[in-house]
Amino acid sequence: MENKTPLLSLKNINMVFKKPGSLLKDQYIHVLRDISLDIYAGEIIALVGESGCGKTTLGKIITGLYKPTSGEIYFEGNKVSGIFDKKVTSFNEIQFIQQDSYAALNPVRTIYQSLYAPIKNKHKKWSKKEVDAKIEELMQIIGLYPSEQYLSKYPHQLSGGQRQRILMARAISLEPKLIVADEPVSMIDVSLRLSILNLMKELNEKLKMSFVYISHDLSTSRYFAANGKVAVMYLGEIVELGQIADVISHPSHPYTRALVQAVPVPDPTYKGADELPLKSMQLGSLEDRTEGCSFKERCLYCTSECNKKQTYQSSKTAQVLCCNLSTVLDKDK
Amino acid sequence: MKENIVEFKNISIDYPMKKYTLRAVNNVSLNVKRGKITALVGESGSGKTTLSSSLIRCISEPGIIAEGEVIFNSNDGSLINVEKLKEKELRSFRWEKVSMVFQAAQSALNPVLTVRQQFYETLDEHGIKLTKEEKEAKCLKILDFVKLDSKRVIDCYPHELSGGMKQRVMIAFSLLLDPEVIILDEPTTALDVITQHYIFNLLKEINKTMNISMLLMTHDISVVASFADYIAVMYGGRVMEYGSVEEVFKNKLHPYTKGLINATPSIIGNIDDVRPIDGRPPNMLDLPKGCVFSDRCPFAKDICKEKEPETLYKEDGSFIKCHLFLGGEDNGK
Amino acid sequence: MNKEKFSDFLSTLKIFFKNLGHNLLNFLKKIFSSKKTIIGFVLIMVFVFIGIFGPLIFPYDQNTDVANKYLLPSTEHFFGTDWLGRDVFRQVIAGTSSVLEIAFFTAIFTVTIGTILGIISGYVGGVVDKIIMSITNIFLSIPSFPVYLLLAALITLESSVSLALIISLWSWAGLCRSIRVQVMSIKERDYIQICKVMHMSTFHIIFREIMPNVFSYIAVNFVVAMRNAIMASVGIMLVGLAAYDPTNWGAIINAARMKGLVNYKNILIMIYPLVFIIIFQISTLLLSNGLDETLNPRLKVK
């Protein structure tokens, strides 16, 4: 695995948004800071973090909707400048599934129209019959059949779960190698969430598609990315990256620890922690950040070391961005 | 003093439309125990919001209570029939007896008023005669109670607060007139896990120290497991099962409850046992004949598809609505 | 190869028209589900009918007949006669077609200019947006009436098309701005972002994804522009910018006013075209409200 070229490789990605401030001085918000991430073919990576930690921005950079302020993106070893660069191999190889299935489909176009256009756009020589056959095949894969029943409908006539499946069909219609799924199940009824996740798992196994699963929910991430990795994000940085099973059972970074403990467990006999290992519940601000650790205000293990620039260190299970890792790990014993 | 603070008695709520009538809540009887947290669990459209809004008589238009009544047994021993309250009495009943925390805190707060103005306005509106100093002291006290920096927050406009802070302001707001019951409508849906953990710890503290009963609506069964005392599972406008959280989770009697618990991934335990509920959520205009869950129930028998099950009450006040537990052995095949 | 391409093209064309027919039928079904639309549409159709066939049934005699001036309504002269003994009813009927022409052309000009510039401005953004917006600002800030007065001193408008052009010059800017805002908001929606991820062409995004979303708004505004055109044309007649046409409703009102309203009979003559204008206004109002209800997704109750 180590010797293979990653499917997608992000190197030191920074993202700065300009926020119109006062007349004289614009404010700059450092949304992503020094993100490096490798995604291999057929792999599932869960991006987990609080709202505002930059996980959606990172997803949009991967799909090419945003251009990073600095940093490099390599697709199968080739440098990529942006999705609108047709010469690049990543053309149409990365697709995006959004959170709100209602907003992701044009309300005035039928499902058929929404599915037909991208396929025809990619395969300009295909006749209508060929495209129709492809659509039929997609509807079989996502489990909506007989397909005529759904194709002639408008988005508002379908249920949330069905719309999410349509989004899935649209994403795989261009046979991408990587799908970025931004909270794909957070707006879906509980009883249907798993079936959507199962469908994505199936696509991952059968079609060997890689997935980047963006979510704030560790439980569904654990289910979906069972054999994959997790990248825990905090204020625009990946603070911990490792196999998801290990990270959840033995979290290293102080933030990951708090996050894991905060997740409610569907079992009343389970006794979770009453107090989270955090100094305050207040999420730090992205504005006026200093060089040092972004988590230091909330961290129980904070020392003067934390004001320096952070580097990644290895714990037994993961890459961790924390200066006092050894102290943190020692406290366990 | 009675054990039940709120009694829903055979409530049915209709939404008359042009061509048909939608029965959102069908013949529900439910008790809310004094000083406890009762959770109403259900997917979207199960009628949980409609049912609880009948308690403060603000069912969204054009809904009407077709049958049944809501009885409120106040702590001072008086008995209030919510349906029969006059407009003026209703106004003081809301917020002085029963208050509510909404899902979207950002839209529940007036954007052009400071927290202080909104709190004072509500105090004045309810004819509470206090001097300026007393008012301020009262507001600061409850803001302190929800662990906010009260001196700063009280003069903030809603947009100056983060999502978690706004939700805590809303909780403080609901405590303003010392209510006996607080209705919590998905209070943490828009918030991330760590904030959710803090908010629920806070609510539990309020519940214990102030002896305020709570009615929590949620779709997240993990939250119920770690937070509530009693659970009522709603499906298709009916309460399918009611009981203490420990018992319901231990026994997993009703097939829907069982399905719901099994469909919720957790961060502990085996993930292979997790599976979705087949089929799709009920269409309230076209409910299956017989038991409303019969079309998705893996244990459905012939009788389930013909006759709606009676409610089976047990000695401890819990009940279940399912043919599997009715009529003993002869019906069992 | 070429033959194949051609047949493929033909089949695409066939599907296009089939879809078009199907969509049109659905569309008609949808818009006529509102009573307001039906009433408004029928009333406007009545006006169109009057405009086309009215002059054939009740031909207008331009010749004056002073002996029969200021006659009260009778079976011979439904609306009576004016100060020169001409039949007011026939005058009003004869004026219908020109009024409709002005309304129709104005609506077409206004909507075309407003939509095209609005979409360009909203979708392209940047410098183009700034330029177009400053042009709209000019037209929105300079009041139309003084300009009409100035122009009236220089030229006289002959045809209804040029009249329509002048009116639409002062009404496209508002439409352009509101379409721009809509396009700007739609451009940021999730489904447009997906189109970009999928590398759909700009042509596809504008005409297939954005246009159908603003179509209802354009349809409503077409009717609104027609309504405004009537008001504006009456104003232009009053100012005297347009050629004197004794049968135009605005001209009739103007002439009656000039004759002096002290004579109650002049007021009586004025009333008929006024009533016609009011009915036309109401029918367009009904039609636009009806269209708005059925087409505007924001007003639709889910």
Side-chain angles (χ1 to χ4, degrees):
Chain A
M1 207 57 178
E2 294 306 312
N3 296 327
K4 266 169 64 183
T5 348
L7 179 69
L8 187 82
S9 178
L10 305 175
K11 294 242 189 302
N12 305 91
I13 296 287
N14 280 285
M15 186 77 190
V16 180
F17 281 127
K18 198 162 87 175
K19 180 183 169 192
S22 60
L23 270 176
L24 297 170
K25 215 176 106 199
D26 283 335
Q27 267 183 310
Y28 290 94
I29 301 176
H30 221 118
V31 181
L32 293 177
R33 196 153 77 159
D34 256 342
I35 299 269
S36 294
L37 186 67
D38 287 342
I39 302 159
Y40 290 91
E43 192 178 43
I44 299 179
I45 289 192
L47 283 183
V48 179
E50 296 176 40
S51 47
C53 72
K55 51 190 197 296
T56 300
T57 310
L58 185 58
K60 287 191 173 172
I61 285 178
I62 296 175
T63 50
L65 279 170
Y66 288 160
K67 210 170 150 48
T69 315
S70 70
E72 284 153 359
I73 304 172
Y74 295 88
F75 189 84
E76 291 178 330
N78 301 314
K79 197 173 170 188
V80 178
S81 61
I83 44 162
F84 302 108
D85 190 354
K86 288 198 181 190
K87 282 168 262 171
V88 167
T89 41
S90 77
F91 188 64
N92 265 340
E93 299 282 25
I94 300 171
Q95 286 305 323
F96 193 27
I97 294 173
Q98 288 140 320
Q99 175 178 17
D100 183 353
S101 62
Y102 188 66
L105 289 164
N106 196 332
V108 296
R109 287 166 69 77
T110 60
I111 302 302
Y112 177 78
Q113 288 172 320
S114 284
L115 288 176
Y116 184 90
I119 301 175
K120 183 76 184 169
N121 186 46
K122 187 184 180 191
H123 305 280
K124 292 216 166 53
K125 284 189 188 139
W126 281 17
S127 69
K128 185 182 180 309
K129 251 192 199 145
E130 282 170 291
V131 180
D132 282 355
K134 175 82 189 172
I135 291 176
E136 189 61 42
E137 183 196 325
L138 289 170
M139 297 298 277
Q140 294 282 337
I141 293 176
I142 57 157
L144 291 182
Y145 41 83
S147 57
E148 303 86 50
Q149 209 183 319
Y150 302 99
L151 289 175
S152 58
K153 291 213 165 118
Y154 287 91
H156 68 267
Q157 292 168 308
L158 298 182
S159 72
Q162 290 167 343
R163 280 199 298 264
Q164 202 67 43
R165 281 167 190 270
I166 297 293
L167 294 193
M168 214 80 70
R170 185 168 64 178
I172 61 173
S173 69
L174 302 181
E175 288 144 12
K177 290 184 176 147
L178 172 68
I179 292 180
V180 178
D182 185 3
E183 306 253 11
V185 294
S186 69
M187 291 176 86
I188 291 183
D189 275 326
V190 187
S191 68
L192 297 175
R193 277 186 189 173
L194 279 201
S195 53
I196 300 286
L197 291 177
N198 285 345
L199 174 63
M200 287 176 20
K201 269 186 146 173
E202 221 177 283
L203 294 174
N204 171 253
E205 278 155 24
K206 282 190 189 150
L207 307 172
K208 296 279 168 254
M209 282 175 194
S210 305
F211 275 88
V212 173
Y213 178 78
I214 300 173
S215 174
H216 66 275
D217 181 0
L218 264 179
S219 317
T220 55
S221 306
R222 175 175 180 250
Y223 178 77
F224 176 57
N227 304 314
K229 286 188 202 154
V230 66
V232 180
M233 291 187 69
Y234 186 77
L235 287 187
E237 288 171 325
I238 294 179
V239 293
E240 185 160 354
L241 174 69
Q243 291 295 319
I244 193 161
D246 299 335
V247 170
I248 287 178
S249 55
H250 303 289
S252 304
H253 194 279
Y255 172 67
T256 320
R257 293 170 170 225
L259 194 64
V260 169
Q261 288 192 21
V263 178
V265 171
D267 178 6
T269 56
Y270 177 82
K271 266 259 138 277
D274 277 345
E275 283 298 313
L276 296 180
L278 285 176
K279 264 190 200 158
S280 89
M281 69 158 288
Q282 205 44 54
L283 183 66
S285 163
L286 281 167
E287 292 160 37
D288 48 70
R289 269 187 3 186
T290 50
E291 268 275 273
C293 173
S294 48
F295 188 60
K296 61 174 184 274
E297 286 89 4
R298 299 170 77 182
C299 183
L300 290 178
Y301 309 96
C302 174
T303 63
S304 59
E305 284 291 300
C306 302
N307 290 325
K308 293 178 190 154
K309 199 171 172 356
Q310 307 291 300
T311 48
Y312 282 95
Q313 306 187 16
S314 299
S315 74
K316 248 179 253 159
T317 49
Q319 290 287 100
V320 188
L321 186 69
C322 175
C323 39
N324 283 324
L325 189 62
S326 50
T327 354
V328 177
L329 294 175
D330 278 346
K331 287 235 167 114
D332 282 352
K333 286 162 194 165
Chain B
M1 212 154 58
K2 285 192 177 170
E3 192 195 358
N4 300 326
I5 190 158
V6 179
E7 294 173 14
F8 294 97
K9 287 189 173 165
N10 302 86
I11 284 275
S12 291
I13 299 170
D14 281 351
Y15 282 86
M17 307 276 189
K18 259 184 197 158
K19 289 176 190 150
Y20 39 75
T21 298
L22 189 152
R23 178 151 284 196
V25 171
N26 194 334
N27 197 11
V28 165
S29 297
L30 188 69
N31 299 326
V32 179
K33 293 229 161 52
R34 194 180 303 276
K36 301 285 183 199
I37 300 169
T38 304
L40 275 180
V41 182
E43 298 173 67
S44 51
S46 60
K48 54 185 194 298
T49 307
T50 313
L51 178 64
S52 55
S53 49
S54 72
L55 174 54
I56 46 174
R57 226 167 89 192
C58 62
I59 304 165
S60 58
E61 292 284 322
I64 47 158
I65 297 185
E67 280 164 44
E69 53 187 3
V70 186
I71 307 290
F72 184 85
N73 298 311
S74 178
N75 282 349
D76 57 26
S78 60
L79 189 147
I80 298 166
N81 187 337
V82 180
E83 267 311 277
K84 298 217 167 81
L85 286 177
K86 295 192 186 76
E87 258 324 295
K88 211 175 155 193
E89 294 165 337
L90 184 67
R91 221 177 299 152
S92 67
F93 174 75
R94 288 180 188 156
W95 236 257
E96 281 168 42
K97 298 284 184 196
V98 181
S99 63
M100 190 159 179
V101 175
F102 296 93
Q103 177 174 359
Q106 39 276 35
S107 48
L109 289 168
N110 189 336
V112 295
L113 295 180
T114 62
V115 172
R116 182 196 293 275
Q117 286 168 323
Q118 291 183 54
F119 278 37
Y120 283 15
E121 198 174 82
T122 308
L123 284 173
D124 294 344
E125 193 86 345
H126 282 267
I128 290 171
K129 301 233 160 29
L130 291 174
T131 63
K132 225 173 180 179
E133 287 73 34
E134 282 171 328
K135 267 191 214 167
E136 175 156 352
K138 190 176 173 67
C139 294
L140 289 177
K141 200 180 128 205
I142 53 167
L143 284 172
D144 277 331
F145 194 82
V146 296
K147 299 195 175 70
L148 283 167
D149 178 5
S150 56
K151 293 246 160 55
R152 187 178 78 81
V153 167
I154 195 163
D155 287 314
C156 282
Y157 287 95
H159 71 265
E160 296 171 304
L161 305 169
S162 73
M165 287 163 91
K166 260 184 268 186
Q167 198 56 280
R168 279 184 288 163
V169 168
M170 275 312 291
I171 291 170
F173 192 48
S174 73
L175 294 171
L176 191 61
L177 302 176
D178 308 312
E180 295 171 23
V181 173
I182 300 181
I183 302 171
L184 306 161
D185 186 1
E186 307 248 3
T188 58
T189 302
L191 306 173
D192 47 71
V193 206
I194 289 182
T195 318
Q196 168 174 306
H197 190 272
Y198 274 100
I199 297 264
F200 276 124
N201 273 356
L202 188 66
L203 287 170
K204 198 138 193 174
E205 203 182 318
I206 291 169
N207 169 252
K208 289 240 171 71
T209 57
M210 300 175 133
N211 198 29
I212 295 176
S213 318
M214 292 183 180
L215 185 61
L216 165 75
M217 282 165 273
T218 180
H219 63 269
D220 188 348
I221 206 146
S222 335
V223 164
V224 177
S226 45
F227 176 66
D229 302 311
Y230 289 90
I231 177 173
V233 183
M234 286 194 80
Y235 185 85
R238 289 138 175 93
V239 175
M240 301 308 248
E241 188 173 9
Y242 167 78
S244 76
V245 167
E246 284 84 15
E247 290 296 312
V248 169
F249 274 77
K250 196 174 87 195
N251 301 332
K252 296 185 195 169
L253 288 179
H254 197 284
Y256 178 63
T257 315
K258 195 174 176 170
L260 212 55
I261 295 171
N262 283 344
T264 312
S266 161
I267 60 159
I268 55 163
N270 198 345
I271 39 173
D272 298 330
D273 299 340
V274 190
R275 66 181 56 83
I277 304 177
D278 289 336
R280 54 186 179 125
N283 175 356
M284 291 305 288
L285 290 171
D286 186 21
L287 287 171
K289 217 179 141 217
C291 172
V292 283
F293 187 59
S294 60
D295 60 334
R296 297 172 79 186
C297 181
F299 311 107
K301 299 179 293 184
D302 290 342
I303 187 166
C304 298
K305 298 200 165 107
E306 275 151 31
K307 203 168 143 265
E308 180 156 2
E310 297 291 321
T311 312
L312 177 70
Y313 288 92
K314 288 184 216 150
E315 285 158 20
D316 57 350
S318 66
F319 61 80
I320 190 162
K321 213 175 164 77
C322 179
H323 279 299
L324 295 177
F325 308 97
L326 277 175
E329 295 303 304
D330 15 317
N331 252 341
K333 302 278 140 63
Chain C
M1 182 68 193
N2 265 342
K3 207 172 181 186
E4 207 175 82
K5 241 185 191 167
F6 184 68
S7 73
D8 203 39
F9 173 73
L10 271 188
S11 74
T12 328
L13 213 66
K14 221 191 270 167
I15 295 155
F16 176 75
F17 280 110
K18 208 176 122 197
N19 278 345
L20 193 75
H22 182 71
N23 288 345
L24 207 67
L25 203 73
N26 273 346
F27 177 69
L28 290 179
K29 249 189 223 159
K30 198 163 112 190
I31 60 170
F32 284 113
S33 61
S34 155
K35 272 186 198 137
K36 285 184 190 171
T37 315
I38 298 173
I39 297 171
F41 184 76
V42 167
L43 277 176
I44 287 181
M45 277 298 123
V46 169
F47 275 105
V48 171
F49 184 83
I50 294 173
I52 297 170
F53 299 105
L56 300 178
I57 304 168
F58 301 104
Y60 172 58
D61 183 10
Q62 284 205 0
N63 293 328
T64 53
D65 181 6
V66 188
N68 286 325
K69 71 174 182 180
Y70 288 134
L71 281 184
L72 286 176
S74 64
T75 44
E76 198 187 335
H77 303 289
F78 295 134
F79 293 171
T81 57
D82 69 357
W83 49 92
L84 292 173
R86 295 172 299 197
D87 187 311
V88 177
F89 174 70
R90 285 167 195 242
Q91 255 180 9
V92 172
I93 294 287
T96 308
S97 66
S98 84
V99 165
L100 284 178
E101 262 172 46
I102 292 168
F104 184 71
F105 282 120
T106 311
I108 284 190
F109 293 144
T110 308
V111 165
T112 315
I113 305 171
T115 308
I116 292 175
L117 290 182
I119 287 180
I120 292 175
S121 185
Y123 191 79
V124 179
V127 186
V128 179
D129 181 39
K130 279 197 181 123
I131 293 170
I132 294 178
M133 278 309 103
S134 25
I135 298 173
T136 60
N137 277 338
I138 293 170
F139 279 100
L140 285 173
S141 52
I142 299 175
S144 55
F145 229 64
V147 181
Y148 290 159
L149 280 172
L150 260 174
L151 280 177
L154 302 172
I155 48 166
T156 317
L157 297 173
E158 303 285 342
S159 71
S160 42
V161 175
S162 50
L163 190 64
L165 255 178
I166 287 284
I167 297 170
S168 30
L169 214 55
W170 259 270
S171 55
W172 66 272
L175 178 67
C176 174
R177 294 208 92 153
S178 39
I179 285 186
R180 165 183 172 264
V181 171
Q182 294 199 21
V183 170
M184 276 165 72
S185 116
I186 291 171
K187 188 170 82 161
E188 297 302 320
R189 303 262 167 92
D190 283 358
Y191 54 84
I192 301 295
Q193 296 205 335
I194 279 287
C195 284
K196 288 181 181 163
V197 173
M198 297 188 132
H199 303 100
M200 306 302 288
S201 62
T202 311
F203 180 86
H204 174 93
I205 292 177
I206 290 180
F207 289 94
R208 296 283 156 72
E209 304 280 347
I210 295 179
M211 270 293 256
N213 277 292
V214 291
F215 178 74
S216 61
Y217 190 76
I218 295 171
V220 171
N221 269 279
F222 189 86
V223 183
V224 172
M226 271 172 77
R227 200 176 82 221
N228 292 341
I230 305 282
M231 289 311 281
S233 69
V234 172
I236 285 176
M237 293 283 173
L238 281 171
V239 172
L241 174 58
Y244 180 69
D245 174 2
T247 64
N248 185 289
W249 297 349
I252 299 173
I253 295 170
N254 193 23
R257 190 179 58 93
M258 303 279 264
K259 283 281 159 200
L261 296 181
V262 188
N263 186 347
Y264 78 93
K265 282 173 179 164
N266 282 330
I267 300 180
L268 213 58
I269 292 165
M270 234 170 109
I271 282 174
Y272 301 111
L274 263 179
V275 167
F276 264 63
I277 288 175
I278 290 167
I279 294 173
F280 189 82
Q281 293 281 331
I282 290 172
S283 56
T284 48
L285 198 73
L286 283 173
L287 185 59
S288 66
N289 279 353
L291 284 178
D292 207 26
E293 267 169 30
T294 44
L295 296 176
N296 192 339
R298 267 159 297 191
L299 293 178
K300 240 181 264 172
V301 186
K302 206 181 170 186

